[in-house]
Amino acid sequence: MASFDDNTQFVIGMLRECGLAHKTIIIVLDEFHRFAQGKQRLLYSLLDAMQSVTSQAVVIGISCRLDADQLLEKRVRSRLSHRKLLFCPPSKEELDRLLECLLSLPVSSSLPQSYIVEFNKELRKILADKKFKDTIDTLLSSDSTVDQILRFLFLSVSSMDLKTGILSVENFMTAVVRMNRQPKLECTKDCSILELYILVCMKRLEMREQVSYNFNSIMKEYKAIHDSFQTPDYYARNVCIRAFEHLLQCELISFMDNRRNNQSIEFRPVKLLISPYELHQGLKLNQSCPTILQKLMDQIGKRS
């Protein structure tokens, strides 16, 4: 029931007491980039507490984003040591050993010995199966982190037949289908016509290698499309701003950084958070999508 400020003061007080007791604390922040959202009060309080002489603590941030530290506000970034360790994804040989190690049943298990032997025998067959290897290669082509691998294995084991208690290739195929759900694509299917125009305008600006653009730039592109094709879909500026804000809430687009919170929304640089493929497919699946937008995305696809 405590407030954020009360919890923050508790953490700082705990760090102070541990420092006086000569005890070191290690604080691990998984998905560090998520802590860089909003006002970053928690990060600021923790890193500011590190500056104390009595403090004996270290904050370790873990993130899949190489630019995670660039998302920080100036006051937070100035208190960061900027020491980084880059971990490369596992090789194919390491991945094979990791999969077998994680999925094999230990011989010393309390389970029946015959079941352990059969389970491990079937597992080795699956790991050597070409269909399984192709599935793994496809899945990890975009994200080969250990976290992704563990999530994949958890979903695979969850779909195992409880009667036989033995894994099959189909279990892993089912896990891939569940992991390949595209929430951004599903959001695009429900976007309004105006929101689709904004997304396509942003993609057109990116294709012209415009490094930085904002709401005003997008509106100029929107007007250019309207003037060129004489489309009936042209909305007032205040309506466009509301659609723009809705796209921000859906996380289909985002601000380039959080260091300009005091700047008007119309002037803050933004970026797309949806891939060209997802946007193209979303336009096709959106029943209210104008034909002109699909043609524009086809042109973008040919150029890329």
Side-chain angles (χ1 to χ4, degrees), residues 198 202 205-206 210-218 244 248 253-257 265-273:
I198 292 174
M202 292 176 69
L205 290 171
E206 288 186 357
Q210 189 161 332
V211 179
S212 179
Y213 57 87
N214 54 28
F215 175 78
N216 290 330
S217 309
I218 297 168
F244 184 74
L248 287 167
I253 65 176
S254 72
F255 293 118
M256 292 289 287
D257 57 58
I265 190 175
E266 301 172 34
F267 300 98
R268 293 180 66 182
V270 290
K271 61 181 176 180
L272 269 175
L273 296 180

